[in-house]
Amino acid sequence: MDSITMLYEYQDRIALGVSFDYGSNHNSREIPFAQLHCKRLNIPHITIPLDFMPRYFKSSLLEGADAIPEGNYDDSNMQSTVVPFRNGIMLSIAAGIAESHGLQFIMMANHSGDHTIYPDCRPGFVKAMSEATRTGTYPGIEILAPYTGITKSDIARHGKALGIDYTETWSCYKGGEKHCGKCGTCRERRQALEEAGLPDMTEYAD
């Protein structure tokens, strides 16, 4: 929901969409939607494989659907879904891609609800990483994270104004045929759509 909303909201300044296939349960559900929306907006899209991550990194997100905890998105058990320094790795690669394509900025769609769980979504990380990419590249590439200070419900409100069909997005960490409806990201999705006043047309397994 977050990245697709940002894609539509900032489409006039996005030159390239990038997905990372890092072996998570839901990559196979998310990436086709990213490709779909980029194609619809005539934005080139590439998928970069990071197949080393499941071999060397510890996270329930990489261990199969049964390893994903159920409960609220802000519960402490959701910490098991942290993929260590995932955003740092992806943003580093994105900086190299941006410089190679003559681009000045990288965009990421983290939001305030991520802060308590994921260290590499927090404002301090974004600021520090942007300083690293700025000083570590010839063009001084910077990271833009416009949703850092707002909630997922706020993002859904942006999507409502843009007319986005959220059935063409994927949230569930378990990555099954349908959203499980029980994991933290499913619960967060439900709450965001409800608070934004959007009908939830998501197919849930529960």
Side-chain angles (χ1 to χ4, degrees):
M1 286 180 61
D2 313 327
S3 296
I4 296 304
T5 303
M6 189 176 73
L7 184 74
Y8 278 87
E9 186 167 2
Y10 294 92
Q11 60 183 285
D12 291 341
R13 68 178 303 168
I14 295 176
L16 178 67
V18 181
S19 294
F20 294 95
D21 188 351
Y22 58 99
S24 74
N25 304 317
H26 59 292
N27 272 162
S28 63
R29 305 309 307 271
E30 278 188 336
I31 293 174
F33 282 128
Q35 294 168 335
L36 168 72
H37 290 288
C38 283
K39 183 177 180 180
R40 186 176 290 164
L41 296 174
N42 294 313
I43 295 172
H45 177 273
I46 59 174
T47 299
I48 298 174
L50 300 178
D51 54 358
F52 65 90
M53 294 180 79
R55 296 200 300 270
Y56 302 112
F57 287 32
K58 179 70 174 177
S59 170
S60 63
L61 210 59
L62 307 174
E63 296 173 2
D66 291 343
I68 298 297
E70 296 177 355
N72 290 332
Y73 188 71
D74 55 356
D75 285 352
S76 60
N77 66 346
M78 287 299 292
Q79 290 181 13
S80 75
T81 65
V82 171
V83 179
F85 208 60
R86 176 184 64 176
N87 284 345
I89 293 165
M90 294 178 181
L91 289 167
S92 296
I93 295 170
I97 292 170
E99 185 162 7
S100 298
H101 285 77
L103 304 176
Q104 184 65 47
F105 299 100
I106 305 163
M107 299 193 76
M108 63 183 294
N110 59 307
H111 61 82
S112 64
D114 296 328
H115 298 175
T116 57
I117 304 168
Y118 303 108
D120 57 0
C121 288
R122 295 170 185 164
F125 167 81
V126 175
K127 182 179 179 181
M129 197 70 191
S130 185
E131 179 65 11
T133 59
R134 187 185 66 79
T135 58
T137 57
Y138 275 113
I141 292 166
E142 298 179 34
I143 297 170
L144 303 180
Y147 296 161
T148 301
I150 66 174
T151 67
K152 196 171 190 96
S153 298
D154 291 327
I155 292 173
R157 292 185 186 98
H158 286 218
K160 181 180 181 180
L162 292 164
I164 294 173
D165 178 2
Y166 282 122
T167 64
E168 296 180 329
T169 63
W170 188 266
S171 299
C172 182
Y173 274 171
K174 296 194 178 187
E177 289 299 313
K178 298 179 180 179
H179 283 72
C180 76
K182 297 178 180 178
C183 70
T185 48
C186 280
R187 292 190 179 199
E188 184 195 38
R189 179 187 180 96
R190 283 177 150 167
Q191 180 181 354
L193 292 172
E194 180 181 356
E195 292 183 355
L198 283 166
D200 190 351
M201 307 303 291
T202 308
E203 284 193 69
Y204 294 104
D206 68 342

